[in-house]
Amino acid sequence: MNTHELWQAALGELELKLSKAHFTTWFRNTFIIEYDKHQVTVGVPNTFTKAWLEKKYHKDILNAIQNITEHPIKGLGYRVETRASTPVPVVLKEVEPEPAPAPTHPINASYESLGFTSREESPRSSTAINSSYTFDSFVVGKQNELAHAAAQAVAAHPGGTYNPVFVYGDVGLGKTHLLQAIGNSMLQRNPNARVLYASCEQFTNDFIHAVRTGRAKAFKDRYRTVDLLLIDDIQFITGKEGTQEEFFHTFNTLHQDNKQIVICSDRPPKAIAALEKRLLSRLEWGMLVDVGAPDLETRIAILQLKCQNKTISLGRDTLQYIASNIQSNVRELEGALNKIVAVHQFKNIQPSLETIIPIIDSFDVNTIKKTVSPKHIIQTVTEYFDISIEDVLGKSREKRLAFPRQIIMYLLREEMSISYPSIGTELGGRDHTTAMHAYSKIAKILKDDDQLNRDLDLIKQKMYAG
Ligand code: ADP
Ligand code: MG
C-alpha cells in the first residue's frame, strides 16, 4: 500500500465519523508526506489546520491510520506543506512567482491602464461579466428566492441596507449567475457604474502581481474605487494571510463609501477555515443568505427556460424525466440538456421520452448515486452473474464467485465512495486490504478489457434503473 492509498483509506474512516462540513473543512488538501512503519507525517495546507488537527482530531487520525496499518504508530506529526495538484492556499511571503497574467483577461489586461483618473478612462470590468447571466434568465424557486430578492434589492439600491450581501450554497446552484446578474442589472441602469467582478483567485493573483511589480497603489485604486464589488468563491481566501489583510482594507474602504459589496461562497463565513476574526465579522455584517438545491418544479422551469435558448422543444413528460433524474445541481441539469441537444442534432431526430432515456441514464451517474445502496449493488451484480448472495459473501475463492465479488467491491468504492474497511464489512467481514486489492485489480482490467467495460455498463444501467 502506498501513502496515497493509506491516507485515502484513513480519510474514508474519518469521513464516517465527522460531519461533512467538518470533514471537508479540516481534511481538504491533506495528504501523507512520509510514512515509515511507525512514523507518519501528514501534510496540511496551513498552520491553522495544523493546530486544529493536533488539538481536535489527533486521536481520531491516529486510530484511523492504525486501523489500516494494523500496527501501532508511535509518532504522528503534521507539517504545513502543499501539493501543486490541489488548490493551493497561498501565503504571500512564500509564494513562487506567478506566471504573468493572461493579457486577454479584462481585469489583468487593465493593468497597463491602472493609473486611470477619470471615469471615462476607467477600465470597467463589465466584460468579465457574462451578459447572459441576468435576472431574466434566472428561475426563482423556494430554495433561492431570498438570495434572489437580496440580489435584486442591492442591484436597485446599492450600498444601502444590505451591505455586504453574502450568498452561500453548494456548487452549481446559481451563485455566480446571481452575482453577475447584479452586475448586469446595475450596468443596465447606469452604464457608467464601475462594476468589478473577480473570483477570489483573481483578487489574490492581482494583488500578488501588483505587489511584485511595485504597483500596489494602482491595485488599491482599482479595487477601492468601484461602485460594486462582486467577489466569487471567497472560500479560497482560506490561509492566504496577505490577501485577507488586503481584502479587509478593500472592504472597509468600500463600505465606508457606501459602495456595494456582494460575496459568494460554497459555505457560510464561519465555515471558512483560517479566516481572520475581523474579516469574518465583516462578512457577517450585512445579509447572509443561502441557496439550496431546486425542487422538481423549479428544475422543470429551469429546463424550459434553457430550452428556449436552444431551439429544442421537449414535451412535459421528457422534462419531467430529466428533472426527476438529475436532482442535485443546475449545472448538471444544463449539462444533460446540452448532451440531449447535441445527440438529437447529430442524429437529426426529434426528441421524445424514448430517445432521451438512454442519454439521461448514461449521464453522470454520480448525480443519482443516492438511490443505490450497498445491498442494491450486491443484488444487481449477483443477479447479473447468476450467483447467490450467500455465496458471494461466503468464504469460497472459486473464480466464478471471486470475480463478481471483486466487481462488487469495485462498484462500492467507485459508485458510493465507501471506505475500504466498510467495503470489507459489507462483503461478509473481509479485510480492507482485500477490498483495496479488488478495487485496483478491476480498475486495471477495465483499462483495456472491452468485455468487462460492457458488463459494468449493463450492471450500472440495471443498478440505476431499479
Ligand atoms: P454556482 O456559482 O453556484 O456554482 P452557477 O451560477 O455557475 O453556480 O450556475 C451553474 C449553471 O446553472 C449556470 O449556467 C447557471 O446559469 C445555471 N443556473 C443555476 N441556477 C439557476 C436558476 N435558478 N435559473 C436559471 N439558471 C440557473
Ligand atoms: Mg460559481
CSV table of all heavy atoms in Angstrom, one decimal, residues 133 137-139 144 170-177 302 306 330-331 334, ligand 1:
chain,number,residue,atom,x,y,z
A,133,TYR,N,-26.0,36.1,-17.9
A,133,TYR,CA,-26.4,35.8,-16.6
A,133,TYR,C,-27.1,37.0,-16.0
A,133,TYR,O,-26.6,38.0,-15.4
A,133,TYR,CB,-25.1,35.6,-15.7
A,133,TYR,CG,-24.5,34.2,-15.8
A,133,TYR,CD1,-23.3,33.9,-15.3
A,133,TYR,CD2,-25.2,33.2,-16.5
A,133,TYR,CE1,-22.7,32.7,-15.4
A,133,TYR,CE2,-24.6,31.9,-16.6
A,133,TYR,CZ,-23.4,31.7,-16.0
A,133,TYR,OH,-22.8,30.4,-16.1
A,137,SER,N,-32.9,35.6,-16.9
A,137,SER,CA,-32.6,34.2,-17.2
A,137,SER,C,-32.4,33.4,-15.9
A,137,SER,O,-31.9,32.2,-16.0
A,137,SER,CB,-31.4,34.1,-18.1
A,137,SER,OG,-30.3,34.6,-17.4
A,138,PHE,N,-32.9,33.9,-14.8
A,138,PHE,CA,-32.7,33.2,-13.5
A,138,PHE,C,-34.1,32.8,-13.0
A,138,PHE,O,-35.0,33.6,-12.9
A,138,PHE,CB,-32.1,34.1,-12.5
A,138,PHE,CG,-31.7,33.4,-11.2
A,138,PHE,CD1,-30.5,32.7,-11.2
A,138,PHE,CD2,-32.5,33.4,-10.1
A,138,PHE,CE1,-30.1,32.0,-10.0
A,138,PHE,CE2,-32.2,32.8,-8.9
A,138,PHE,CZ,-31.0,32.0,-8.9
A,139,VAL,N,-34.3,31.5,-12.8
A,139,VAL,CA,-35.6,31.0,-12.4
A,139,VAL,C,-35.6,31.0,-10.8
A,139,VAL,O,-34.7,30.5,-10.2
A,139,VAL,CB,-35.8,29.5,-12.9
A,139,VAL,CG1,-37.1,29.0,-12.3
A,139,VAL,CG2,-35.8,29.5,-14.4
A,144,ASN,N,-34.1,29.5,-3.6
A,144,ASN,CA,-33.2,30.6,-3.9
A,144,ASN,C,-33.9,32.0,-3.9
A,144,ASN,O,-33.4,33.0,-4.3
A,144,ASN,CB,-32.6,30.4,-5.3
A,144,ASN,CG,-33.6,30.3,-6.4
A,144,ASN,OD1,-34.7,30.9,-6.3
A,144,ASN,ND2,-33.2,29.7,-7.5
A,170,ASP,N,-24.0,25.1,-2.2
A,170,ASP,CA,-23.2,24.2,-2.9
A,170,ASP,C,-23.0,24.6,-4.3
A,170,ASP,O,-23.6,25.5,-4.8
A,170,ASP,CB,-23.9,22.8,-2.9
A,170,ASP,CG,-23.7,22.1,-1.6
A,170,ASP,OD1,-22.7,22.4,-0.9
A,170,ASP,OD2,-24.5,21.2,-1.3
A,171,VAL,N,-22.1,23.9,-5.0
A,171,VAL,CA,-21.7,24.2,-6.4
A,171,VAL,C,-22.9,24.0,-7.3
A,171,VAL,O,-23.8,23.1,-7.1
A,171,VAL,CB,-20.5,23.4,-6.9
A,171,VAL,CG1,-19.3,23.8,-6.2
A,171,VAL,CG2,-20.8,22.0,-6.9
A,172,GLY,N,-22.9,24.8,-8.3
A,172,GLY,CA,-23.9,24.6,-9.4
A,172,GLY,C,-25.3,25.0,-9.1
A,172,GLY,O,-26.3,24.6,-9.7
A,173,LEU,N,-25.5,25.9,-8.1
A,173,LEU,CA,-26.8,26.3,-7.7
A,173,LEU,C,-27.1,27.7,-8.1
A,173,LEU,O,-28.1,28.3,-7.6
A,173,LEU,CB,-27.0,26.1,-6.2
A,173,LEU,CG,-26.9,24.6,-5.7
A,173,LEU,CD1,-27.2,24.5,-4.2
A,173,LEU,CD2,-27.9,23.7,-6.5
A,174,GLY,N,-26.3,28.3,-8.9
A,174,GLY,CA,-26.6,29.6,-9.4
A,174,GLY,C,-26.0,30.8,-8.7
A,174,GLY,O,-26.5,32.0,-8.9
A,175,LYS,N,-25.0,30.6,-7.9
A,175,LYS,CA,-24.5,31.8,-7.1
A,175,LYS,C,-23.8,32.7,-8.1
A,175,LYS,O,-24.0,33.9,-8.0
A,175,LYS,CB,-23.5,31.3,-6.1
A,175,LYS,CG,-24.1,30.3,-5.0
A,175,LYS,CD,-23.1,30.0,-4.0
A,175,LYS,CE,-21.9,29.2,-4.5
A,175,LYS,NZ,-22.2,27.9,-5.1
A,176,THR,N,-22.9,32.2,-8.9
A,176,THR,CA,-22.2,33.0,-9.9
A,176,THR,C,-23.2,33.7,-10.8
A,176,THR,O,-23.1,34.9,-11.1
A,176,THR,CB,-21.2,32.2,-10.7
A,176,THR,OG1,-20.2,31.6,-9.8
A,176,THR,CG2,-20.5,33.0,-11.7
A,177,HIS,N,-24.2,33.0,-11.2
A,177,HIS,CA,-25.2,33.6,-12.1
A,177,HIS,C,-25.9,34.8,-11.4
A,177,HIS,O,-26.0,35.9,-11.9
A,177,HIS,CB,-26.3,32.5,-12.4
A,177,HIS,CG,-27.3,33.0,-13.3
A,177,HIS,ND1,-27.8,32.1,-14.3
A,177,HIS,CD2,-28.0,34.1,-13.5
A,177,HIS,CE1,-28.7,32.8,-15.1
A,177,HIS,NE2,-28.8,34.0,-14.6
A,302,ILE,N,-36.5,25.6,-15.0
A,302,ILE,CA,-35.2,25.9,-15.5
A,302,ILE,C,-34.9,25.3,-16.8
A,302,ILE,O,-34.5,25.9,-17.8
A,302,ILE,CB,-34.1,25.5,-14.4
A,302,ILE,CG1,-34.2,26.4,-13.2
A,302,ILE,CG2,-32.7,25.6,-15.1
A,302,ILE,CD1,-33.3,25.9,-12.0
A,306,LYS,N,-34.1,27.1,-20.4
A,306,LYS,CA,-32.9,26.8,-21.1
A,306,LYS,C,-33.2,26.3,-22.5
A,306,LYS,O,-32.4,26.4,-23.4
A,306,LYS,CB,-32.0,25.9,-20.3
A,306,LYS,CG,-31.7,26.3,-18.9
A,306,LYS,CD,-30.3,27.1,-18.8
A,306,LYS,CE,-30.2,27.7,-17.5
A,306,LYS,NZ,-29.1,28.6,-17.2
A,330,VAL,N,-27.9,22.5,-10.8
A,330,VAL,CA,-28.4,23.0,-12.0
A,330,VAL,C,-27.3,22.9,-13.1
A,330,VAL,O,-27.7,22.7,-14.3
A,330,VAL,CB,-28.8,24.5,-11.9
A,330,VAL,CG1,-29.4,25.1,-13.1
A,330,VAL,CG2,-29.8,24.7,-10.7
A,331,ARG,N,-26.1,22.9,-12.7
A,331,ARG,CA,-25.1,22.8,-13.7
A,331,ARG,C,-25.2,21.4,-14.4
A,331,ARG,O,-25.0,21.3,-15.6
A,331,ARG,CB,-23.7,23.0,-13.1
A,331,ARG,CG,-22.6,23.0,-14.2
A,331,ARG,CD,-21.3,23.5,-13.6
A,331,ARG,NE,-21.3,24.8,-13.1
A,331,ARG,CZ,-20.7,25.2,-12.0
A,331,ARG,NH1,-20.0,24.4,-11.3
A,331,ARG,NH2,-20.8,26.5,-11.6
A,334,GLU,N,-28.1,21.4,-16.8
A,334,GLU,CA,-27.8,22.0,-18.0
A,334,GLU,C,-26.9,21.1,-18.9
A,334,GLU,O,-27.1,21.0,-20.1
A,334,GLU,CB,-27.0,23.3,-17.7
A,334,GLU,CG,-27.8,24.5,-17.8
A,334,GLU,CD,-26.9,25.8,-17.8
A,334,GLU,OE1,-26.1,25.9,-17.0
A,334,GLU,OE2,-27.1,26.6,-18.8
B,1,ADP,P1,-22.5,28.3,-8.7
B,1,ADP,O1,-21.8,29.5,-8.9
B,1,ADP,O2,-23.4,28.3,-7.5
B,1,ADP,O3,-21.6,27.1,-8.7
B,1,ADP,P2,-23.6,28.9,-11.3
B,1,ADP,O4,-24.1,30.2,-11.1
B,1,ADP,O5,-22.3,28.7,-12.0
B,1,ADP,O6,-23.5,28.0,-9.9
B,1,ADP,O7,-24.7,28.0,-12.0
B,1,ADP,C1,-24.4,26.9,-12.8
B,1,ADP,C2,-25.3,26.9,-14.1
B,1,ADP,O8,-26.6,26.7,-13.7
B,1,ADP,C3,-25.2,28.3,-14.8
B,1,ADP,O9,-25.2,28.0,-16.2
B,1,ADP,C4,-26.5,29.0,-14.4
B,1,ADP,O10,-27.0,29.8,-15.4
B,1,ADP,C5,-27.4,27.8,-14.1
B,1,ADP,N1,-28.4,28.1,-13.1
B,1,ADP,C6,-28.3,27.9,-11.8
B,1,ADP,N2,-29.4,28.2,-11.1
B,1,ADP,C7,-30.2,28.7,-12.0
B,1,ADP,C8,-31.6,29.2,-11.9
B,1,ADP,N3,-32.2,29.4,-10.8
B,1,ADP,N4,-32.2,29.6,-13.1
B,1,ADP,C9,-31.5,29.5,-14.2
B,1,ADP,N5,-30.3,29.0,-14.4
B,1,ADP,C10,-29.6,28.6,-13.3
